[in-house]
Amino acid sequence: VRQAAASNAPLRGGKGELWEGGIRVPFIVSWKGRVGARTVAQPVMSMDATVTALDFAGAKTGAGLDGVTLRPLLTTDSNQPPHDAMFWRVGKKNAVRAGGWKIIRDGAAWQLYDLDHDSGETTDVAAREPDRVRAMNAMWDRWNAEQREPLWK
């Protein structure tokens, strides 16, 4: 049994895992006079921070950088998700989040979670939603085909 010094309840998992308890963390930005105080519920990735900083600096980001600018979320009332989907690949662990849905696998079959109603990932609904699992698996396959092989195992 794994023991941790902290709890991520009600989220499942912890550091190094692809469950929400291992990947969902607050993202806080402070920039007096440029970014006002607001709470945004849309998920973002750490890789967005570099692209956002380059955008605010007026630099061209060009191709090859992962992430998107968060400027609209930080400077307007936009609540548009910056990502259609987010992908993770850690060894044999994989995950895709698209909207309020997430598929995850740890070397076995995909599991599906409805994060809008089950943020703790307690109920696998893959058997009830096979078409959604297939569609998200296809998203994964397209994304993964564009990635380089990991440099570490």
PDB file of all heavy atoms in Angstrom, residues 60-100:
ATOM      1  N   LYS A  60       7.943  35.735 -31.597  1.00  0.00           N
ATOM      2  CA  LYS A  60       7.302  34.732 -32.454  1.00  0.00           C
ATOM      3  C   LYS A  60       7.591  33.360 -31.856  1.00  0.00           C
ATOM      4  O   LYS A  60       8.729  33.035 -31.563  1.00  0.00           O
ATOM      5  CB  LYS A  60       7.866  34.796 -33.869  1.00  0.00           C
ATOM      6  CG  LYS A  60       7.658  36.132 -34.541  1.00  0.00           C
ATOM      7  CD  LYS A  60       6.419  36.089 -35.373  1.00  0.00           C
ATOM      8  CE  LYS A  60       6.299  37.341 -36.203  1.00  0.00           C
ATOM      9  NZ  LYS A  60       5.133  38.112 -35.922  1.00  0.00           N
ATOM     10  N   THR A  61       6.536  32.555 -31.684  1.00  0.00           N
ATOM     11  CA  THR A  61       6.751  31.234 -31.098  1.00  0.00           C
ATOM     12  C   THR A  61       7.123  30.215 -32.153  1.00  0.00           C
ATOM     13  O   THR A  61       7.867  29.295 -31.879  1.00  0.00           O
ATOM     14  CB  THR A  61       5.499  30.746 -30.332  1.00  0.00           C
ATOM     15  OG1 THR A  61       4.399  30.726 -31.230  1.00  0.00           O
ATOM     16  CG2 THR A  61       5.202  31.651 -29.163  1.00  0.00           C
ATOM     17  N   GLY A  62       6.611  30.350 -33.364  1.00  0.00           N
ATOM     18  CA  GLY A  62       6.957  29.421 -34.428  1.00  0.00           C
ATOM     19  C   GLY A  62       6.497  28.005 -34.128  1.00  0.00           C
ATOM     20  O   GLY A  62       5.838  27.730 -33.135  1.00  0.00           O
ATOM     21  N   ALA A  63       6.852  27.111 -35.015  1.00  0.00           N
ATOM     22  CA  ALA A  63       6.480  25.706 -34.855  1.00  0.00           C
ATOM     23  C   ALA A  63       7.456  25.014 -33.918  1.00  0.00           C
ATOM     24  O   ALA A  63       8.566  25.483 -33.701  1.00  0.00           O
ATOM     25  CB  ALA A  63       6.483  25.015 -36.214  1.00  0.00           C
ATOM     26  N   GLY A  64       7.041  23.902 -33.368  1.00  0.00           N
ATOM     27  CA  GLY A  64       7.943  23.085 -32.567  1.00  0.00           C
ATOM     28  C   GLY A  64       7.768  23.238 -31.072  1.00  0.00           C
ATOM     29  O   GLY A  64       8.308  22.446 -30.320  1.00  0.00           O
ATOM     30  N   LEU A  65       7.031  24.256 -30.634  1.00  0.00           N
ATOM     31  CA  LEU A  65       6.789  24.398 -29.205  1.00  0.00           C
ATOM     32  C   LEU A  65       5.440  23.799 -28.865  1.00  0.00           C
ATOM     33  O   LEU A  65       4.436  24.084 -29.521  1.00  0.00           O
ATOM     34  CB  LEU A  65       6.781  25.868 -28.784  1.00  0.00           C
ATOM     35  CG  LEU A  65       8.114  26.576 -28.679  1.00  0.00           C
ATOM     36  CD1 LEU A  65       7.900  28.018 -28.241  1.00  0.00           C
ATOM     37  CD2 LEU A  65       9.021  25.879 -27.681  1.00  0.00           C
ATOM     38  N   ASP A  66       5.420  22.956 -27.851  1.00  0.00           N
ATOM     39  CA  ASP A  66       4.149  22.460 -27.350  1.00  0.00           C
ATOM     40  C   ASP A  66       3.521  23.565 -26.511  1.00  0.00           C
ATOM     41  O   ASP A  66       4.212  24.420 -25.968  1.00  0.00           O
ATOM     42  CB  ASP A  66       4.353  21.215 -26.489  1.00  0.00           C
ATOM     43  CG  ASP A  66       4.730  20.000 -27.316  1.00  0.00           C
ATOM     44  OD1 ASP A  66       4.324  19.931 -28.484  1.00  0.00           O
ATOM     45  OD2 ASP A  66       5.436  19.126 -26.781  1.00  0.00           O
ATOM     46  N   GLY A  67       2.238  23.532 -26.404  1.00  0.00           N
ATOM     47  CA  GLY A  67       1.543  24.524 -25.603  1.00  0.00           C
ATOM     48  C   GLY A  67       0.909  25.603 -26.471  1.00  0.00           C
ATOM     49  O   GLY A  67       1.201  25.723 -27.658  1.00  0.00           O
ATOM     50  N   VAL A  68       0.017  26.364 -25.855  1.00  0.00           N
ATOM     51  CA  VAL A  68      -0.680  27.458 -26.519  1.00  0.00           C
ATOM     52  C   VAL A  68      -0.636  28.681 -25.609  1.00  0.00           C
ATOM     53  O   VAL A  68      -0.402  28.567 -24.410  1.00  0.00           O
ATOM     54  CB  VAL A  68      -2.153  27.091 -26.832  1.00  0.00           C
ATOM     55  CG1 VAL A  68      -2.233  25.890 -27.767  1.00  0.00           C
ATOM     56  CG2 VAL A  68      -2.938  26.829 -25.563  1.00  0.00           C
ATOM     57  N   THR A  69      -0.883  29.845 -26.188  1.00  0.00           N
ATOM     58  CA  THR A  69      -0.926  31.043 -25.367  1.00  0.00           C
ATOM     59  C   THR A  69      -2.207  31.084 -24.537  1.00  0.00           C
ATOM     60  O   THR A  69      -3.285  30.717 -25.017  1.00  0.00           O
ATOM     61  CB  THR A  69      -0.805  32.327 -26.206  1.00  0.00           C
ATOM     62  OG1 THR A  69      -0.774  33.453 -25.304  1.00  0.00           O
ATOM     63  CG2 THR A  69      -1.950  32.486 -27.181  1.00  0.00           C
ATOM     64  N   LEU A  70      -2.067  31.512 -23.318  1.00  0.00           N
ATOM     65  CA  LEU A  70      -3.205  31.642 -22.416  1.00  0.00           C
ATOM     66  C   LEU A  70      -3.679  33.094 -22.331  1.00  0.00           C
ATOM     67  O   LEU A  70      -4.511  33.428 -21.489  1.00  0.00           O
ATOM     68  CB  LEU A  70      -2.838  31.116 -21.023  1.00  0.00           C
ATOM     69  CG  LEU A  70      -2.404  29.652 -20.972  1.00  0.00           C
ATOM     70  CD1 LEU A  70      -1.985  29.275 -19.562  1.00  0.00           C
ATOM     71  CD2 LEU A  70      -3.488  28.739 -21.486  1.00  0.00           C
ATOM     72  N   ARG A  71      -3.151  33.943 -23.201  1.00  0.00           N
ATOM     73  CA  ARG A  71      -3.506  35.361 -23.173  1.00  0.00           C
ATOM     74  C   ARG A  71      -5.016  35.586 -23.115  1.00  0.00           C
ATOM     75  O   ARG A  71      -5.479  36.384 -22.279  1.00  0.00           O
ATOM     76  CB  ARG A  71      -2.897  36.101 -24.354  1.00  0.00           C
ATOM     77  CG  ARG A  71      -3.201  37.589 -24.324  1.00  0.00           C
ATOM     78  CD  ARG A  71      -2.787  38.288 -25.610  1.00  0.00           C
ATOM     79  NE  ARG A  71      -1.371  38.432 -25.744  1.00  0.00           N
ATOM     80  CZ  ARG A  71      -0.698  39.566 -25.537  1.00  0.00           C
ATOM     81  NH1 ARG A  71      -1.336  40.649 -25.169  1.00  0.00           N
ATOM     82  NH2 ARG A  71       0.596  39.603 -25.696  1.00  0.00           N
ATOM     83  N   PRO A  72      -5.825  34.932 -23.973  1.00  0.00           N
ATOM     84  CA  PRO A  72      -7.273  35.189 -23.903  1.00  0.00           C
ATOM     85  C   PRO A  72      -7.881  34.864 -22.537  1.00  0.00           C
ATOM     86  O   PRO A  72      -8.761  35.581 -22.064  1.00  0.00           O
ATOM     87  CB  PRO A  72      -7.862  34.275 -24.989  1.00  0.00           C
ATOM     88  CG  PRO A  72      -6.734  34.027 -25.927  1.00  0.00           C
ATOM     89  CD  PRO A  72      -5.494  34.021 -25.075  1.00  0.00           C
ATOM     90  N   LEU A  73      -7.411  33.802 -21.889  1.00  0.00           N
ATOM     91  CA  LEU A  73      -7.936  33.456 -20.571  1.00  0.00           C
ATOM     92  C   LEU A  73      -7.486  34.435 -19.503  1.00  0.00           C
ATOM     93  O   LEU A  73      -8.178  34.645 -18.505  1.00  0.00           O
ATOM     94  CB  LEU A  73      -7.499  32.045 -20.168  1.00  0.00           C
ATOM     95  CG  LEU A  73      -8.169  30.879 -20.876  1.00  0.00           C
ATOM     96  CD1 LEU A  73      -7.548  29.564 -20.445  1.00  0.00           C
ATOM     97  CD2 LEU A  73      -9.660  30.863 -20.621  1.00  0.00           C
ATOM     98  N   LEU A  74      -6.318  35.034 -19.699  1.00  0.00           N
ATOM     99  CA  LEU A  74      -5.747  35.911 -18.676  1.00  0.00           C
ATOM    100  C   LEU A  74      -6.158  37.370 -18.819  1.00  0.00           C
ATOM    101  O   LEU A  74      -6.125  38.119 -17.849  1.00  0.00           O
ATOM    102  CB  LEU A  74      -4.217  35.814 -18.708  1.00  0.00           C
ATOM    103  CG  LEU A  74      -3.631  34.437 -18.415  1.00  0.00           C
ATOM    104  CD1 LEU A  74      -2.118  34.451 -18.618  1.00  0.00           C
ATOM    105  CD2 LEU A  74      -3.987  33.978 -17.015  1.00  0.00           C
ATOM    106  N   THR A  75      -6.524  37.798 -20.032  1.00  0.00           N
ATOM    107  CA  THR A  75      -6.757  39.227 -20.258  1.00  0.00           C
ATOM    108  C   THR A  75      -8.170  39.569 -20.719  1.00  0.00           C
ATOM    109  O   THR A  75      -8.471  40.742 -20.906  1.00  0.00           O
ATOM    110  CB  THR A  75      -5.760  39.769 -21.302  1.00  0.00           C
ATOM    111  OG1 THR A  75      -5.956  39.079 -22.535  1.00  0.00           O
ATOM    112  CG2 THR A  75      -4.320  39.602 -20.826  1.00  0.00           C
ATOM    113  N   THR A  76      -9.011  38.572 -20.918  1.00  0.00           N
ATOM    114  CA  THR A  76     -10.393  38.828 -21.336  1.00  0.00           C
ATOM    115  C   THR A  76     -11.332  37.999 -20.467  1.00  0.00           C
ATOM    116  O   THR A  76     -10.885  37.267 -19.587  1.00  0.00           O
ATOM    117  CB  THR A  76     -10.615  38.449 -22.826  1.00  0.00           C
ATOM    118  OG1 THR A  76     -10.586  37.018 -22.944  1.00  0.00           O
ATOM    119  CG2 THR A  76      -9.555  39.067 -23.724  1.00  0.00           C
ATOM    120  N   ASP A  77     -12.596  38.085 -20.756  1.00  0.00           N
ATOM    121  CA  ASP A  77     -13.577  37.274 -20.038  1.00  0.00           C
ATOM    122  C   ASP A  77     -13.789  35.919 -20.700  1.00  0.00           C
ATOM    123  O   ASP A  77     -14.717  35.200 -20.371  1.00  0.00           O
ATOM    124  CB  ASP A  77     -14.925  38.009 -19.964  1.00  0.00           C
ATOM    125  CG  ASP A  77     -14.872  39.190 -19.012  1.00  0.00           C
ATOM    126  OD1 ASP A  77     -14.023  39.186 -18.103  1.00  0.00           O
ATOM    127  OD2 ASP A  77     -15.687  40.121 -19.182  1.00  0.00           O
ATOM    128  N   SER A  78     -12.911  35.569 -21.635  1.00  0.00           N
ATOM    129  CA  SER A  78     -13.042  34.308 -22.361  1.00  0.00           C
ATOM    130  C   SER A  78     -13.006  33.126 -21.405  1.00  0.00           C
ATOM    131  O   SER A  78     -12.251  33.108 -20.446  1.00  0.00           O
ATOM    132  CB  SER A  78     -11.908  34.153 -23.375  1.00  0.00           C
ATOM    133  OG  SER A  78     -11.932  32.863 -23.955  1.00  0.00           O
ATOM    134  N   ASN A  79     -13.842  32.172 -21.691  1.00  0.00           N
ATOM    135  CA  ASN A  79     -13.809  30.908 -20.971  1.00  0.00           C
ATOM    136  C   ASN A  79     -13.640  29.764 -21.951  1.00  0.00           C
ATOM    137  O   ASN A  79     -13.920  28.616 -21.632  1.00  0.00           O
ATOM    138  CB  ASN A  79     -15.071  30.719 -20.133  1.00  0.00           C
ATOM    139  CG  ASN A  79     -14.752  30.718 -18.647  1.00  0.00           C
ATOM    140  OD1 ASN A  79     -13.592  30.639 -18.255  1.00  0.00           O
ATOM    141  ND2 ASN A  79     -15.774  30.826 -17.840  1.00  0.00           N
ATOM    142  N   GLN A  80     -13.193  30.080 -23.166  1.00  0.00           N
ATOM    143  CA  GLN A  80     -12.951  29.069 -24.187  1.00  0.00           C
ATOM    144  C   GLN A  80     -11.797  28.177 -23.762  1.00  0.00           C
ATOM    145  O   GLN A  80     -10.741  28.679 -23.373  1.00  0.00           O
ATOM    146  CB  GLN A  80     -12.612  29.716 -25.528  1.00  0.00           C
ATOM    147  CG  GLN A  80     -13.813  30.312 -26.232  1.00  0.00           C
ATOM    148  CD  GLN A  80     -14.817  29.253 -26.579  1.00  0.00           C
ATOM    149  OE1 GLN A  80     -15.903  29.241 -26.017  1.00  0.00           O
ATOM    150  NE2 GLN A  80     -14.489  28.345 -27.459  1.00  0.00           N
ATOM    151  N   PRO A  81     -11.972  26.872 -23.840  1.00  0.00           N
ATOM    152  CA  PRO A  81     -10.857  25.978 -23.495  1.00  0.00           C
ATOM    153  C   PRO A  81      -9.690  26.218 -24.457  1.00  0.00           C
ATOM    154  O   PRO A  81      -9.888  26.284 -25.672  1.00  0.00           O
ATOM    155  CB  PRO A  81     -11.428  24.576 -23.698  1.00  0.00           C
ATOM    156  CG  PRO A  81     -12.906  24.743 -23.786  1.00  0.00           C
ATOM    157  CD  PRO A  81     -13.174  26.135 -24.236  1.00  0.00           C
ATOM    158  N   PRO A  82      -8.481  26.360 -23.949  1.00  0.00           N
ATOM    159  CA  PRO A  82      -7.336  26.575 -24.832  1.00  0.00           C
ATOM    160  C   PRO A  82      -6.918  25.318 -25.591  1.00  0.00           C
ATOM    161  O   PRO A  82      -6.214  25.400 -26.585  1.00  0.00           O
ATOM    162  CB  PRO A  82      -6.232  27.037 -23.884  1.00  0.00           C
ATOM    163  CG  PRO A  82      -6.633  26.539 -22.548  1.00  0.00           C
ATOM    164  CD  PRO A  82      -8.125  26.451 -22.541  1.00  0.00           C
ATOM    165  N   HIS A  83      -7.361  24.159 -25.131  1.00  0.00           N
ATOM    166  CA  HIS A  83      -7.008  22.885 -25.762  1.00  0.00           C
ATOM    167  C   HIS A  83      -8.270  22.103 -26.103  1.00  0.00           C
ATOM    168  O   HIS A  83      -9.166  21.995 -25.274  1.00  0.00           O
ATOM    169  CB  HIS A  83      -6.156  22.025 -24.817  1.00  0.00           C
ATOM    170  CG  HIS A  83      -4.879  22.660 -24.416  1.00  0.00           C
ATOM    171  ND1 HIS A  83      -3.751  22.608 -25.190  1.00  0.00           N
ATOM    172  CD2 HIS A  83      -4.552  23.384 -23.309  1.00  0.00           C
ATOM    173  CE1 HIS A  83      -2.781  23.270 -24.587  1.00  0.00           C
ATOM    174  NE2 HIS A  83      -3.237  23.750 -23.447  1.00  0.00           N
ATOM    175  N   ASP A  84      -8.308  21.532 -27.304  1.00  0.00           N
ATOM    176  CA  ASP A  84      -9.386  20.599 -27.636  1.00  0.00           C
ATOM    177  C   ASP A  84      -9.184  19.300 -26.869  1.00  0.00           C
ATOM    178  O   ASP A  84     -10.145  18.661 -26.452  1.00  0.00           O
ATOM    179  CB  ASP A  84      -9.404  20.299 -29.136  1.00  0.00           C
ATOM    180  CG  ASP A  84      -9.800  21.512 -29.965  1.00  0.00           C
ATOM    181  OD1 ASP A  84     -10.568  22.362 -29.454  1.00  0.00           O
ATOM    182  OD2 ASP A  84      -9.330  21.620 -31.101  1.00  0.00           O
ATOM    183  N   ALA A  85      -7.928  18.937 -26.718  1.00  0.00           N
ATOM    184  CA  ALA A  85      -7.586  17.716 -25.989  1.00  0.00           C
ATOM    185  C   ALA A  85      -6.192  17.878 -25.404  1.00  0.00           C
ATOM    186  O   ALA A  85      -5.373  18.645 -25.913  1.00  0.00           O
ATOM    187  CB  ALA A  85      -7.631  16.502 -26.913  1.00  0.00           C
ATOM    188  N   MET A  86      -5.936  17.147 -24.330  1.00  0.00           N
ATOM    189  CA  MET A  86      -4.620  17.126 -23.698  1.00  0.00           C
ATOM    190  C   MET A  86      -4.186  15.666 -23.600  1.00  0.00           C
ATOM    191  O   MET A  86      -5.002  14.789 -23.332  1.00  0.00           O
ATOM    192  CB  MET A  86      -4.687  17.787 -22.317  1.00  0.00           C
ATOM    193  CG  MET A  86      -5.088  19.254 -22.418  1.00  0.00           C
ATOM    194  SD  MET A  86      -5.530  20.002 -20.832  1.00  0.00           S
ATOM    195  CE  MET A  86      -4.005  19.996 -19.977  1.00  0.00           C
ATOM    196  N   PHE A  87      -2.894  15.415 -23.806  1.00  0.00           N
ATOM    197  CA  PHE A  87      -2.371  14.060 -23.900  1.00  0.00           C
ATOM    198  C   PHE A  87      -1.200  13.875 -22.943  1.00  0.00           C
ATOM    199  O   PHE A  87      -0.383  14.775 -22.765  1.00  0.00           O
ATOM    200  CB  PHE A  87      -1.874  13.783 -25.329  1.00  0.00           C
ATOM    201  CG  PHE A  87      -2.921  13.989 -26.382  1.00  0.00           C
ATOM    202  CD1 PHE A  87      -3.142  15.239 -26.932  1.00  0.00           C
ATOM    203  CD2 PHE A  87      -3.691  12.920 -26.811  1.00  0.00           C
ATOM    204  CE1 PHE A  87      -4.111  15.436 -27.907  1.00  0.00           C
ATOM    205  CE2 PHE A  87      -4.661  13.096 -27.791  1.00  0.00           C
ATOM    206  CZ  PHE A  87      -4.873  14.361 -28.333  1.00  0.00           C
ATOM    207  N   TRP A  88      -1.113  12.670 -22.376  1.00  0.00           N
ATOM    208  CA  TRP A  88      -0.001  12.313 -21.511  1.00  0.00           C
ATOM    209  C   TRP A  88       0.522  10.947 -21.921  1.00  0.00           C
ATOM    210  O   TRP A  88      -0.247  10.043 -22.247  1.00  0.00           O
ATOM    211  CB  TRP A  88      -0.431  12.249 -20.047  1.00  0.00           C
ATOM    212  CG  TRP A  88      -0.792  13.561 -19.462  1.00  0.00           C
ATOM    213  CD1 TRP A  88       0.024  14.416 -18.770  1.00  0.00           C
ATOM    214  CD2 TRP A  88      -2.076  14.187 -19.474  1.00  0.00           C
ATOM    215  NE1 TRP A  88      -0.671  15.519 -18.371  1.00  0.00           N
ATOM    216  CE2 TRP A  88      -1.966  15.415 -18.796  1.00  0.00           C
ATOM    217  CE3 TRP A  88      -3.318  13.831 -20.013  1.00  0.00           C
ATOM    218  CZ2 TRP A  88      -3.033  16.279 -18.625  1.00  0.00           C
ATOM    219  CZ3 TRP A  88      -4.385  14.690 -19.857  1.00  0.00           C
ATOM    220  CH2 TRP A  88      -4.232  15.895 -19.167  1.00  0.00           C
ATOM    221  N   ARG A  89       1.836  10.798 -21.846  1.00  0.00           N
ATOM    222  CA  ARG A  89       2.483   9.516 -22.155  1.00  0.00           C
ATOM    223  C   ARG A  89       3.669   9.384 -21.212  1.00  0.00           C
ATOM    224  O   ARG A  89       4.645  10.115 -21.318  1.00  0.00           O
ATOM    225  CB  ARG A  89       2.940   9.529 -23.619  1.00  0.00           C
ATOM    226  CG  ARG A  89       3.660   8.286 -24.045  1.00  0.00           C
ATOM    227  CD  ARG A  89       4.032   8.337 -25.511  1.00  0.00           C
ATOM    228  NE  ARG A  89       5.109   9.296 -25.731  1.00  0.00           N
ATOM    229  CZ  ARG A  89       5.707   9.495 -26.896  1.00  0.00           C
ATOM    230  NH1 ARG A  89       5.313   8.845 -27.965  1.00  0.00           N
ATOM    231  NH2 ARG A  89       6.678  10.358 -27.019  1.00  0.00           N
ATOM    232  N   VAL A  90       3.562   8.453 -20.277  1.00  0.00           N
ATOM    233  CA  VAL A  90       4.628   8.223 -19.302  1.00  0.00           C
ATOM    234  C   VAL A  90       4.859   6.724 -19.247  1.00  0.00           C
ATOM    235  O   VAL A  90       4.077   5.997 -18.636  1.00  0.00           O
ATOM    236  CB  VAL A  90       4.253   8.770 -17.905  1.00  0.00           C
ATOM    237  CG1 VAL A  90       5.376   8.512 -16.914  1.00  0.00           C
ATOM    238  CG2 VAL A  90       3.895  10.241 -17.964  1.00  0.00           C
ATOM    239  N   GLY A  91       5.904   6.246 -19.907  1.00  0.00           N
ATOM    240  CA  GLY A  91       6.136   4.805 -19.978  1.00  0.00           C
ATOM    241  C   GLY A  91       4.956   4.128 -20.641  1.00  0.00           C
ATOM    242  O   GLY A  91       4.541   4.496 -21.725  1.00  0.00           O
ATOM    243  N   LYS A  92       4.371   3.140 -19.963  1.00  0.00           N
ATOM    244  CA  LYS A  92       3.200   2.448 -20.501  1.00  0.00           C
ATOM    245  C   LYS A  92       1.897   3.093 -20.047  1.00  0.00           C
ATOM    246  O   LYS A  92       0.815   2.589 -20.338  1.00  0.00           O
ATOM    247  CB  LYS A  92       3.224   0.975 -20.087  1.00  0.00           C
ATOM    248  CG  LYS A  92       4.362   0.216 -20.728  1.00  0.00           C
ATOM    249  CD  LYS A  92       4.306  -1.244 -20.369  1.00  0.00           C
ATOM    250  CE  LYS A  92       5.504  -1.930 -20.990  1.00  0.00           C
ATOM    251  NZ  LYS A  92       5.293  -3.326 -21.237  1.00  0.00           N
ATOM    252  N   LYS A  93       2.002   4.200 -19.332  1.00  0.00           N
ATOM    253  CA  LYS A  93       0.816   4.915 -18.870  1.00  0.00           C
ATOM    254  C   LYS A  93       0.472   5.986 -19.902  1.00  0.00           C
ATOM    255  O   LYS A  93       1.342   6.740 -20.328  1.00  0.00           O
ATOM    256  CB  LYS A  93       1.069   5.576 -17.512  1.00  0.00           C
ATOM    257  CG  LYS A  93       1.430   4.616 -16.412  1.00  0.00           C
ATOM    258  CD  LYS A  93       1.778   5.378 -15.158  1.00  0.00           C
ATOM    259  CE  LYS A  93       2.311   4.454 -14.087  1.00  0.00           C
ATOM    260  NZ  LYS A  93       2.749   5.209 -12.900  1.00  0.00           N
ATOM    261  N   ASN A  94      -0.805   6.045 -20.284  1.00  0.00           N
ATOM    262  CA  ASN A  94      -1.263   7.016 -21.262  1.00  0.00           C
ATOM    263  C   ASN A  94      -2.584   7.601 -20.799  1.00  0.00           C
ATOM    264  O   ASN A  94      -3.353   6.935 -20.114  1.00  0.00           O
ATOM    265  CB  ASN A  94      -1.483   6.362 -22.635  1.00  0.00           C
ATOM    266  CG  ASN A  94      -0.315   5.521 -23.079  1.00  0.00           C
ATOM    267  OD1 ASN A  94      -0.490   4.368 -23.429  1.00  0.00           O
ATOM    268  ND2 ASN A  94       0.875   6.057 -23.052  1.00  0.00           N
ATOM    269  N   ALA A  95      -2.848   8.841 -21.216  1.00  0.00           N
ATOM    270  CA  ALA A  95      -4.131   9.461 -20.903  1.00  0.00           C
ATOM    271  C   ALA A  95      -4.451  10.509 -21.953  1.00  0.00           C
ATOM    272  O   ALA A  95      -3.547  11.109 -22.549  1.00  0.00           O
ATOM    273  CB  ALA A  95      -4.103  10.085 -19.514  1.00  0.00           C
ATOM    274  N   VAL A  96      -5.737  10.705 -22.159  1.00  0.00           N
ATOM    275  CA  VAL A  96      -6.258  11.759 -23.023  1.00  0.00           C
ATOM    276  C   VAL A  96      -7.414  12.408 -22.283  1.00  0.00           C
ATOM    277  O   VAL A  96      -8.290  11.706 -21.762  1.00  0.00           O
ATOM    278  CB  VAL A  96      -6.795  11.211 -24.369  1.00  0.00           C
ATOM    279  CG1 VAL A  96      -7.363  12.345 -25.222  1.00  0.00           C
ATOM    280  CG2 VAL A  96      -5.733  10.440 -25.121  1.00  0.00           C
ATOM    281  N   ARG A  97      -7.399  13.729 -22.237  1.00  0.00           N
ATOM    282  CA  ARG A  97      -8.534  14.468 -21.692  1.00  0.00           C
ATOM    283  C   ARG A  97      -9.094  15.343 -22.793  1.00  0.00           C
ATOM    284  O   ARG A  97      -8.361  16.123 -23.403  1.00  0.00           O
ATOM    285  CB  ARG A  97      -8.113  15.322 -20.508  1.00  0.00           C
ATOM    286  CG  ARG A  97      -9.300  16.087 -19.956  1.00  0.00           C
ATOM    287  CD  ARG A  97      -8.980  16.865 -18.735  1.00  0.00           C
ATOM    288  NE  ARG A  97     -10.167  17.602 -18.331  1.00  0.00           N
ATOM    289  CZ  ARG A  97     -10.368  18.058 -17.131  1.00  0.00           C
ATOM    290  NH1 ARG A  97      -9.468  17.866 -16.203  1.00  0.00           N
ATOM    291  NH2 ARG A  97     -11.466  18.734 -16.850  1.00  0.00           N
ATOM    292  N   ALA A  98     -10.380  15.204 -23.063  1.00  0.00           N
ATOM    293  CA  ALA A  98     -11.069  16.020 -24.059  1.00  0.00           C
ATOM    294  C   ALA A  98     -12.370  16.491 -23.425  1.00  0.00           C
ATOM    295  O   ALA A  98     -13.245  15.672 -23.113  1.00  0.00           O
ATOM    296  CB  ALA A  98     -11.338  15.228 -25.328  1.00  0.00           C
ATOM    297  N   GLY A  99     -12.467  17.788 -23.197  1.00  0.00           N
ATOM    298  CA  GLY A  99     -13.632  18.307 -22.493  1.00  0.00           C
ATOM    299  C   GLY A  99     -13.695  17.712 -21.106  1.00  0.00           C
ATOM    300  O   GLY A  99     -12.694  17.655 -20.399  1.00  0.00           O
ATOM    301  N   GLY A 100     -14.857  17.240 -20.731  1.00  0.00           N
ATOM    302  CA  GLY A 100     -15.020  16.648 -19.408  1.00  0.00           C
ATOM    303  C   GLY A 100     -14.771  15.153 -19.367  1.00  0.00           C
ATOM    304  O   GLY A 100     -15.061  14.507 -18.371  1.00  0.00           O
TER     305      GLY A 100
END
